[in-house]
Amino acid sequence: MDSSSASTASTIGKGEPQEPPQTDANILPDTSHETSTDVEKASPESAPVLDRIDPSSFPDGGLQAWLAVSGAFCCLFCSFGWINCIGVFQAYYQTHQLSSYSPSTVAWIPSLTVFFMFAGGPIWGKLYDNHGPRYLLLVGSFLHVFGLMMASLCSDYYQFLLAQGVCSPIGASLIFYPAMSSTGTWFFKRRALAFGIMAAGSSLGGVILPIMVDHIIARSGFPWAMRSAAFLLFGLLVYANLTVRSRLPPSPKPWSLIEFILPLRELPYFLVVFASFLFFFGMFLPFTFIILSAEHDGMSERLAAYLIPILNAVSIFGRTIPGYIADKTGRFNTMIATSFLSTILVLGLWLPARGNVPYILFAAFYGFSSGAFVSLAPALVAQISDIRQIGVRTGSMFAVISVAALVGNPIGGALVSNEGGNYRNLEIFCGIMMFAGSVVFSAARWSLAGWKPGKV
């Protein structure tokens, strides 16, 4: 191991970043004996991190693997897909049941939804590592469906907050993490593609669910819209509970708070987490406020209701195509490119948008560029992690970014209120935070392989 570290340092050369310490969190394949800046193909003498699990043991396909992916697809349809349509509820509550509350106050409902979706990551990740996905999925399915059923009976602000902002997203969180972690155990070389297919479920959910809710509200009212959505999610979750399996058996270990903190001492992991935190501050603001922003700039209420489905429909391609490209060109490289593209779209298209066409174009292009984050972020963590610790490390990352999700929407709502209903400052804030995240993603890539071109 010492000779590997020394050879790595000499390969990178003077002026390049120091290699991260060799720990059990490092996992990369040994597929070549040639010196290379391609992190995925580097030999032990040149790779910046060491493999701890034989890459040949990953099936990278087969019936069980693809059934697990299909079940994970359904899990993300029900969990992240529901989160992707929070903008529909921000707009509806602001003009109906909660019209007497400020945009910033109403925004706490979607903010808590996203927060609880991610905040439980370390806990659920540890439970997954110790016990596997089965019981997490069962409990999560019950809480998610129960929360939505209860939301159909709500009339007061605190009731919406508890049912849709706390109970339902805790259940969605219990569904999301086991699905994501289980998928990673079946794939190595095609991991980004598998994550992309899985993440496309959230995009499809973000297309179907808001249209479904909008139409049923118009025909049968809000209560039956929520119940109908809950019944649909229940059916998909039954299939998910039958198909989502981990390739690796559980490996119970004692609980220790330090194991959630120790990975942050590794520079690449710390930078990935910090970049995701900054990027997440801005990423969900268009999902939450694009409908209201478009209506403010003259779009009809009926047409504006389709902006979220358009955004999520295109993000199906944004969560699969970049994943496929990432396996060929490098996951860090692809994440950097799509993150900067999202920043450009917010500041260059959403900010000056006036009229229907710019908003529709922004929704489509932003859906593609931002969609890559959901599939590539866990793939980045998996690339620099021991597969046996993937639950804890991925959960820790999402727990950190849940703080950004919690305060991002209320900050956006406050910026709108302070401007008398104008969305300009919100859009600037969104673009700046996403730009900062993109810069730190670039720094994470530098910490692994410097600025040398190549697959990273």
Side-chain angles (χ1 to χ4, degrees), residues 3-61:
S3 62
S4 173
S5 300
S7 177
T8 301
S10 63
T11 300
I12 292 180
K14 295 181 179 180
E16 299 295 338
Q18 295 295 317
E19 299 304 332
Q22 306 299 342
T23 69
D24 285 341
N26 298 329
I27 172 168
L28 285 167
D30 173 15
T31 59
S32 170
H33 292 287
E34 299 175 3
T35 300
S36 172
T37 57
D38 184 336
V39 175
E40 292 296 336
K41 295 182 179 178
S43 67
E45 288 74 16
S46 62
V49 288
L50 289 179
D51 184 14
R52 297 299 184 192
I53 302 291
D54 183 7
S56 64
S57 67
F58 290 79
D60 270 310

Side-chain angles (χ1 to χ4, degrees), residues 27 52-59 64-65 68 127-134 178 181-188 191 244-253 385-391:
I27 172 168
R52 297 299 184 192
I53 302 291
D54 183 7
S56 64
S57 67
F58 290 79
Q64 284 187 306
L127 287 173
Y128 168 86
D129 290 340
N130 285 357
H131 305 290
R134 180 185 297 275
S181 297
S182 296
T183 300
T185 66
W186 293 96
F187 296 88
F188 192 88
R191 183 178 291 154
V244 173
R245 294 288 184 273
S246 172
R247 182 178 64 89
L248 303 177
S251 53
K253 295 178 182 177
S385 301
D386 185 332
I387 196 68
R388 295 165 295 185
Q389 296 180 339
I390 223 171

Side-chain angles (χ1 to χ4, degrees), residues 282-296:
M283 193 188 87
F284 262 102
L285 289 176
F287 286 85
T288 304
F289 290 100
I290 189 173
I291 294 176
L292 295 167
S293 173
E295 291 176 358
H296 176 267

Side-chain angles (χ1 to χ4, degrees), residues 10 78 108 122 203 209 221 232 257 264 284 288 295 345 372 374-375 394 423 426 441 450 455:
S10 63
C78 299
W108 279 106
S203 300
L209 292 172
L232 172 62
L257 180 62
L264 293 171
F284 262 102
T288 304
E295 291 176 358
L345 289 171
V374 178
S375 60
T394 304
Y423 290 82
L426 178 149
F441 275 127
K455 179 182 175 184

Side-chain angles (χ1 to χ4, degrees), residues 270-336:
F270 170 80
L271 291 174
V272 167
V273 171
F274 187 43
S276 301
F277 173 83
L278 294 173
F279 193 81
F280 223 67
F281 246 111
M283 193 188 87
F284 262 102
L285 289 176
F287 286 85
T288 304
F289 290 100
I290 189 173
I291 294 176
L292 295 167
S293 173
E295 291 176 358
H296 176 267
D297 288 327
M299 183 177 285
S300 69
E301 181 179 341
R302 195 64 186 164
L303 181 57
Y306 284 91
L307 289 175
I308 294 293
I310 290 171
L311 192 157
N312 287 313
V314 180
S315 73
I316 295 176
F317 303 101
R319 293 175 186 184
T320 51
I321 294 175
Y324 176 79
I325 294 173
D327 285 333
K328 305 295 183 182
T329 64
R331 292 153 198 159
F332 280 87
N333 296 338
T334 307
M335 176 66 96
I336 292 167

